[in-house]
Amino acid sequence: MKFTNDKLNELLDAGDAWQASDNLSKILFDKKQREKLFRKFMKVEYDISYDWFYKYFSEELAERTKKKQDFTPPSVARMLDQLIDNSNNNSLDVAAGTGQLIVTKWNYDRKQHTPFDYFPSNFWYQAEELKEENKPSRALPFLLFNFLIRGMNGVVIAGDSLSRAISQVYFIQNPTDDFNGFSDLNVMPRTKEVEQIFDVRRWIDKPIIHIETELGGLKKDTKVDKEFAEKIRKVSEFVRKGQVKC
């Protein structure tokens, strides 16, 4: 069975797309309920090679008239994936929406390997999505969902990519480095180091304090290149500092 708008609303216990976004935003911060929801989704559709929310979001939430807003179709995402240099293990998508481009790149990366030699820690994905001060971002919960259910490693930055007024920096990590596992959701603390690494010039909204990844449980993998390993070390250290402050 494939996803329909009604089926998505049913899974998210919502009457419409606006409520679906709100409900998903709350569930994401409850790891047990979130992963229970992931398993429900995967009973409906086991193919995770594409963004499940593209059609739903485009039809229900895209502001085409007011903001001339649209979302990248799967066919365009696949074409772009073929045109760009895919040899780089670091990926950036600004104005990511629900994550069509980043999911396509992730699918390409994992298909270059077998389940025996694919390690999520070998890849880093960074996505940025607009979040205005004191206003909900309707796309953001779906973007985070797409990272987490696929066991990706990376960062999702919610804010204004031009002015660098940032609401939150979400650090997403697959703590067991399992190709078949889900990722943890952490929110980076508002330190000077975080501001420097992610070019945060101004914070907006109240900080969210949320840590899931236990540093002692992280798998050490010698295959990770030095640059990526250093990035993970720094980000993990900042998460630890944030945890101590809590």
Side-chain angles (χ1 to χ4, degrees), residues 213-230:
T213 302
E214 295 293 337
L215 298 186
L218 297 179
K219 179 178 177 180
K220 301 290 188 283
D221 192 334
T222 57
K223 295 183 179 181
V224 181
D225 62 82
K226 291 182 179 179
E227 180 182 352
F228 179 80
E230 180 65 8

Side-chain angles (χ1 to χ4, degrees), residues 103-225:
V103 168
T104 302
K105 178 61 167 64
W106 166 84
N107 188 55
Y108 172 88
D109 290 339
R110 72 181 180 116
K111 291 180 81 171
Q112 306 311 302
H113 301 269
T114 69
F116 304 104
D117 65 2
Y118 168 68
F119 296 99
S121 62
N122 284 334
F123 302 92
W124 176 267
Y125 304 93
Q126 182 167 320
E128 301 189 3
E129 177 54 17
L130 178 64
K131 169 68 173 71
E132 297 178 279
E133 189 167 9
N134 298 322
K135 294 181 180 179
S137 168
R138 296 300 173 186
L140 182 62
F142 299 100
L143 176 60
L144 291 170
F145 180 107
N146 276 332
F147 268 69
L148 292 161
I149 197 171
R150 289 170 174 81
M152 297 165 70
N153 284 309
V155 164
V156 172
I157 300 176
D160 189 319
S161 296
L162 297 178
S163 70
R164 306 309 297 174
I166 303 302
S167 174
Q168 314 293 335
V169 177
Y170 300 92
F171 172 45
I172 296 166
Q173 184 164 21
N174 186 325
T176 58
D177 213 13
D178 181 0
F179 77 94
N180 207 30
F182 302 134
S183 293
D184 284 350
L185 176 63
N186 307 280
V187 183
M188 300 294 286
R190 296 184 173 184
T191 65
K192 292 295 182 183
E193 294 94 334
V194 169
E195 291 174 1
Q196 183 177 14
I197 285 183
F198 299 108
D199 191 22
V200 178
R201 300 174 192 174
R202 181 169 68 90
W203 292 104
I204 60 173
D205 300 326
K206 293 181 179 179
I208 297 174
I209 299 174
H210 185 82
I211 303 294
E212 290 179 2
T213 302
E214 295 293 337
L215 298 186
L218 297 179
K219 179 178 177 180
K220 301 290 188 283
D221 192 334
T222 57
K223 295 183 179 181
V224 181
D225 62 82

Side-chain angles (χ1 to χ4, degrees), residues 1-87:
M1 177 181 179
K2 300 293 183 180
F3 287 115
T4 63
N5 292 2
D6 289 341
K7 187 62 179 178
L8 282 168
N9 284 334
E10 177 188 330
L11 287 166
L12 295 171
D13 192 26
D16 55 36
W18 297 91
Q19 187 180 7
S21 180
D22 289 338
N23 290 354
L24 180 57
S25 183
K26 296 172 185 175
I27 293 171
L28 288 177
F29 288 92
D30 184 328
K31 183 175 180 178
K32 185 176 180 180
Q33 290 301 313
R34 180 181 76 226
E35 295 188 352
K36 181 179 178 181
L37 179 65
F38 288 169
R39 294 184 178 93
K40 286 183 178 180
F41 267 76
M42 296 186 77
K43 285 182 179 178
V44 177
E45 173 61 283
Y46 60 85
D47 181 3
I48 56 175
S49 66
Y50 68 100
D51 174 17
W52 295 335
F53 304 114
Y54 162 72
K55 183 179 179 182
Y56 177 78
F57 203 87
S58 295
E59 292 179 357
E60 301 291 334
L61 290 170
E63 298 184 66
R64 288 190 172 100
T65 301
K66 183 179 179 181
K67 296 183 178 179
K68 308 300 180 186
Q69 185 182 53
D70 216 327
F71 293 83
T72 309
S75 57
V76 174
R78 289 192 296 269
M79 179 187 70
L80 290 173
D81 191 57
Q82 293 170 5
L83 292 173
I84 64 173
D85 177 10
N86 279 307
S87 61

